[in-house]
Amino acid sequence: MRKIIVQKFGGTSVADTEKIKNVARTVIKEKENGNDVVVVVSAMGHTTDYLVKMAHDLNPNPSGREMDMLLSTGEGVSIALLAIALQAAGYEAVSFNAMQVGIMTENVHSKARIIDIKTEKLRKNLNEGKIIVVAGFQGVTEDGEITTLGRGGSDTSAVALAAALNAERCDIYTDVEGVYTTDPRVVPNASRLEQISYEEMLELAHAGANVLHPRSVETAKQFNVPLRVRSSFKLENLGTLILGVDNMEIYKPVAGVAADLSQARIVVCDVPDKPGSAALIFSKLAKENISVDMIIQSYARKISNTNDIAFTIEKSDLPKTMATLESMKNELNCGEIKVDDNIAKVSIVGAGMIDRPGIASTMFETLAQNDINIRMISTSEIKISCLVDKEKAQQAVKALHKVFELESDEVAVVKGDLPDV
Ligand code: ADP
Ligand code: ASP
Ligand code: MG
């Protein structure tokens, strides 16, 4: 039986028609290797940002449904153009949007999860020898409503398709040569990782390393999809392989550093210190589909018998969060609700930090030496995150990257030139 390879090309890789021709050449190469190929593409260049801006010019608070209708159009353009380019090169190709394939999601706008992917149409077309081009980032509900998976979600479309089709591999082609020890745009001599575990990559992606959408890594781990991140501009480089932790040799305590500038911090002051207060806040937020990241509850003040509860959320959820909190203020009997969106979460990640003391203290000391104040701390087995002032985030990343000896002698190539073919 022929093997199925899923390839995904991000916005930079399909930014203009020259780059789409380059993508077509890469797809054809895989097809000529004797494989069946399913290609997932994102919207061209900065199309999605441009669409978001237009909506906000018209309405500061556009409805989720119409935003998904709007944003899903970006990928519609690139799938058709890539199929046209493949046909021009003499190959049979067909493009499908999420509705045509049956990429079924939950009924949630702007960050829907994929529930199921129908494979009949895909298999039929692959059996006819066609190259299939699928729109990333979008899905459809049982009622036929268009949804999107969250910014950067085309990675998740690709991995979910690879899982559904039992593909041999999922290759994520992007504008850098793999996963680096930190964002090479921030630290140019970051090191490319030959391989990284699903667990570490998941933490890095959640911590703001937007080279992969977190849910794509979650899906790859769950279904054991071999995942590779590589450059669409430098094909000789195999990039980074993401695989199970058992197959890895861990030699450094920290694998990578990341910063997330998309969060806001909320402090609910003077919450009565009694059972049910935290449950009330977070169950109401969960009902509104608002994800909460770091949470801190202060030591109870004896005189007033109250706590402060601080937590972070995605900035884009801020209006919904504030509305939800305001609506329960009486029931909760709390004090002031404070918001701060001038913050960044800086994280170090590494499976090698398990049972190795001193990693946290090195992180805190390094931040202190750089005069960076820590406003919140959270940890997992393989991650330590500190909330700092936004303007200090880059300095923090650079200092941590250095102290944990992650630098390389080479400068990373971001957005390489098109190869000569
Ligand atoms: P695409 O449009 O191909 O999906 P993205 O912009 O979503 O590309 O992701 C690639 C970008 O991720 C890179 O250009 C880089 O700036 C950024 N990035 C952040 N952290 C990392 C990291 N640890 N390794 C590699 N790239 C990273
Ligand atoms: N086009 C979408 C975005 O810009 C999805 C993606 O690129 O993965 O977020
Ligand atoms: Mg992306």
Side-chain angles (χ1 to χ4, degrees), residues 8 10-11 42-43 45 47-49 71 75 136-137 150-155 213:
K8 179 260 171 178
S42 296
T47 303
T48 313
D49 292 334
L71 299 193
E75 273 69 13
F137 180 52
R151 296 302 307 269
S154 296
D155 300 331
H213 191 238

Side-chain angles (χ1 to χ4, degrees), residues 294-314:
M294 297 166 118
I295 303 176
I296 286 186
Q297 176 173 304
S298 68
Y299 189 66
R301 284 186 285 268
K302 278 280 171 284
I303 301 168
S304 59
N305 209 20
T306 60
N307 292 307
D308 292 340
I309 297 182
F311 56 92
T312 62
I313 49 149
E314 280 292 312

Side-chain angles (χ1 to χ4, degrees), residues 64-72 108-110 146-148:
R65 181 187 188 276
E66 298 313 324
M67 281 309 281
D68 281 356
M69 287 297 284
L70 177 66
L71 299 193
S72 64
V108 169
H109 287 296
S110 89
I146 301 291
T147 55
T148 61

Side-chain angles (χ1 to χ4, degrees), residues 8 10-11 173-176 178-180 182-185 209-211:
K8 179 260 171 178
Y173 287 86
T174 183
D175 58 5
V176 283
V179 179
Y180 284 74
T182 195
D183 188 343
R185 288 177 205 267
N210 58 348
V211 62

